Amino acid sequence: MNLTSKRRGIASVALVLGLALAGCSKGESVTERADAADFAEPVHITNCERAATFDAPPQRIVSMNDHVTETLILMGVGDRIVGMGYGEQPNPLPETADRFRKIPSLGKEYPTAEQIRDLEPDLIVGGMRSAFDAKEGRDRDQFEKEGIATFLFSEYCGKGFPSIGLLENDFAQLGEILGAEAEASTLTERVTEPLERVRSTLAAAGAQPVPTFFYDGGEAEPLSIGGVGIGNLIAEYAGARNITSEGQKPYTTTTWETVGERAPEAIVVLDYGNAPVAQKLEYLRSQPIASATPAVRNNRIVVVPLDDFFESPRMVTSVETIAKALHPGVFGGQG
């Protein structure tokens, strides 16, 4: 599937019309810029079992999730993002903040398919499966038929997130198709090196994993993390033993009885806008079973923003925060 060539076929019509209306000198400069952007050889990738070929780096990107936007900015291609979903992030990473606030926001959550098409993108990058919800008209197949390339972070390809190798591959592929290999490599190291440093420090200290309940929310049926998502990988790096790792999805429901039986020594509470963290904490301390766990009795509760639980550089923050809270004797933090 040669998506860049298909887009160029459409663009060539606009270019001819532009030459007729605006004169040759402007048209020649546009052609020169397009030629200069070509790859020496076509770039072939396979993303979520979809093969695609790029003749040139995409220049008009729609980013569907805020952690994707931050990642692309850190790869040095933020100036190519023509619009973003989840564009009302109040606290972008400090080093991305200036560029983040210059990118047009397409909405508090996802843009419509019409908003996306109006921007005439040549690449759409999603960080969650819902970014390409066919029921909402954002089907990858349809976009690609129209010559618009798509890329989905592998966290949501449906095969879990068993190792950091998936992030390494995603970042390498994005760097390759965007002509930003060096920046992508640097960004990958920014993630992998501190993660490995935390794990190595815990291993050197002989620290044992702390049985931990990851609480996303829910009262009748608590929602936690399963054993196949990035949350479980974060737990492993941070020296936590996820007590619901038998779940076969990134997020899984459990029962309070199960939580009580497994007696977590720590609880990680995920904080996000639709469910105030204060309300979650109050519920944990009043729920009969949860309140009897060692974690609640010893007030060993760690709050981590949900934004730090995605495939992005932010996952370093979540690993460091949890590790310091669970292993204060190793890292000198407060447990």
Side-chain angles (χ1 to χ4, degrees):
M1 181 186 301
N2 194 321
L3 295 160
T4 305
S5 293
K6 289 177 70 176
R7 290 297 287 176
R8 281 184 175 167
I10 296 169
S12 64
V13 176
L15 179 58
V16 170
L17 291 174
L19 287 171
L21 293 171
C24 292
S25 60
K26 183 177 180 180
E28 288 168 358
S29 66
V30 170
T31 303
E32 288 168 3
R33 286 199 300 273
D35 288 344
D38 283 356
F39 291 122
E41 296 289 340
V43 172
H44 307 279
I45 67 165
T46 300
N47 167 245
C48 293
E49 300 183 348
R50 290 171 176 263
T53 298
F54 294 80
D55 293 324
Q59 298 298 311
R60 296 183 60 81
I61 304 170
V62 170
S63 171
M64 299 294 281
N65 301 90
D66 48 10
H67 67 282
V68 172
T69 301
E70 291 177 340
T71 297
L72 294 173
I73 291 172
L74 291 171
M75 283 189 186
V77 298
D79 59 338
R80 300 188 216 169
I81 303 175
V82 295
M84 61 179 171
Y86 285 85
E88 298 182 18
Q89 160 67 270
N91 298 303
L93 288 171
E95 61 268 52
T96 71
D98 288 345
R99 172 57 63 182
F100 192 99
R101 295 187 179 109
K102 291 176 182 176
I103 297 170
S105 170
L106 302 178
K108 185 176 181 180
E109 296 185 358
Y110 289 122
T112 65
E114 290 73 21
Q115 285 178 296
I116 294 170
R117 290 187 177 92
D118 285 346
L119 292 171
E120 299 183 346
D122 48 14
L123 176 65
I124 306 168
V125 185
M128 301 176 69
R129 189 184 311 232
S130 52
F132 295 110
D133 188 344
K135 294 180 181 178
E136 298 292 330
R138 298 189 302 267
D139 185 71
R140 291 187 75 179
D141 288 334
Q142 184 57 42
F143 283 132
E144 290 170 5
K145 285 178 183 176
E146 297 170 18
I148 306 172
T150 65
F151 189 97
L152 177 62
F153 277 27
S154 291
E155 178 181 359
Y156 285 89
C157 282
K159 293 188 176 181
F161 208 95
S163 77
I164 202 64
L166 286 182
L167 178 145
E168 292 173 324
N169 186 63
D170 280 352
F171 284 15
Q173 287 192 331
L174 281 170
E176 191 175 14
I177 67 176
L178 294 169
E181 292 96 332
E183 293 85 349
S185 178
T186 298
L187 183 58
T188 300
E189 291 175 358
R190 168 178 166 161
V191 177
T192 58
E193 289 183 358
L195 292 184
E196 189 56 42
R197 189 160 52 246
V198 170
R199 181 159 63 181
S200 298
T201 300
L202 289 169
Q208 296 301 305
V210 176
T212 303
F213 173 48
F214 288 78
Y215 182 49
D216 180 280
E219 297 187 356
E221 284 191 318
L223 184 65
S224 186
I225 62 172
V228 297
I230 202 165
N232 194 67
L233 188 65
I234 287 170
E236 291 176 358
Y237 273 107
R241 179 171 62 78
N242 172 22
I243 68 167
T244 55
S245 61
E246 74 279 2
Q248 294 303 302
K249 295 181 178 179
Y251 289 85
T252 185
T253 56
T254 187
T255 66
W256 288 114
E257 288 74 18
T258 298
V259 173
E261 290 169 2
R262 297 179 182 178
E265 295 176 16
I267 295 177
V268 173
V269 178
L270 299 182
D271 182 17
Y272 52 96
N274 293 334
V277 70
Q279 182 177 321
K280 292 182 182 180
L281 294 173
E282 181 180 356
Y283 184 75
L284 286 171
R285 290 171 176 138
S286 63
Q287 208 283 337
I289 297 176
S291 62
T293 62
V296 175
R297 285 191 282 107
N298 296 323
N299 197 32
R300 205 173 182 186
I301 300 174
V302 189
V303 176
V304 177
L306 181 63
D307 285 338
D308 295 348
F309 254 67
F310 291 104
E311 180 188 350
S312 83
R314 284 178 176 261
M315 67 181 290
V316 173
T317 303
S318 61
V319 167
E320 292 177 342
T321 299
I322 296 168
K324 289 175 181 178
L326 269 54
H327 302 278
V330 176
F331 295 100
Q334 298 297 316

